[in-house]
Amino acid sequence: MSIQMALAGASAKPTGKRPHFLESWEAERSMAIALSLAGELVVTRQRLDTLERLLAAKGIVSRDEIEGFTPTKAEAAERGLWNQEFLARVLRVVQQEAEALTATDDSSETIAEELAR
């Protein structure tokens, strides 16, 4: 998978308008980023904890070995790609805001609002 394909998939825009719950768009954006990070962190932490416990219980890899691991160049490159995909997901709301400034909104909500005028 190319980096462009990975980033495009990680930042795919859902259809419809984004709901607003707070008074300012800046607060909404910050909250969306924080919640995206929190969701990513929770899933990652649970999976990491499971793996470390299973590996240690089976005597395969100790937690000290995990802490001392140094990735190869290929592994580091793979991690770098994942990091870029992650940031694209986390900052998707900022990207979508920039896209909205240059694109027209043909969502059903917008069309309905225009027809109601």
Side-chain angles (χ1 to χ4, degrees):
M1 173 184 298
S2 72
I3 190 167
Q4 289 80 15
M5 289 175 56
L7 292 176
S11 61
K13 181 180 178 183
T15 58
K17 286 190 174 183
R18 178 180 297 280
H20 295 280
F21 302 103
L22 303 173
E23 289 187 30
S24 72
W25 174 243
E26 292 81 9
E28 289 282 342
R29 181 185 331 143
S30 297
M31 180 65 75
I33 291 170
L35 290 176
S36 177
L37 282 169
E40 292 279 348
L41 181 59
V42 166
V43 171
T44 301
R45 179 65 185 117
Q46 289 173 348
R47 292 177 63 91
L48 176 63
D49 181 63
T50 299
L51 286 170
E52 286 182 1
R53 289 175 189 273
L54 288 171
L55 291 169
K58 293 182 178 193
I60 297 172
V61 176
S62 70
R63 290 189 182 217
D64 289 339
E65 289 174 297
I66 291 169
E67 292 296 325
F69 176 76
T70 302
T72 65
K73 285 185 179 183
E75 291 165 342
E78 187 177 333
R79 285 181 177 187
L81 175 60
W82 183 90
N83 289 344
Q84 290 179 344
E85 292 170 353
F86 173 73
L87 289 174
R89 286 191 304 275
V90 169
L91 297 174
R92 178 175 56 204
V93 67
V94 176
Q95 177 189 354
Q96 289 173 356
E97 180 181 320
E99 290 171 357
L101 293 174
T102 60
T104 60
D105 183 12
D106 295 330
S107 68
S108 58
E109 292 92 351
T110 302
I111 294 169
E113 288 172 7
E114 289 177 10
L115 291 175
R117 292 183 194 165

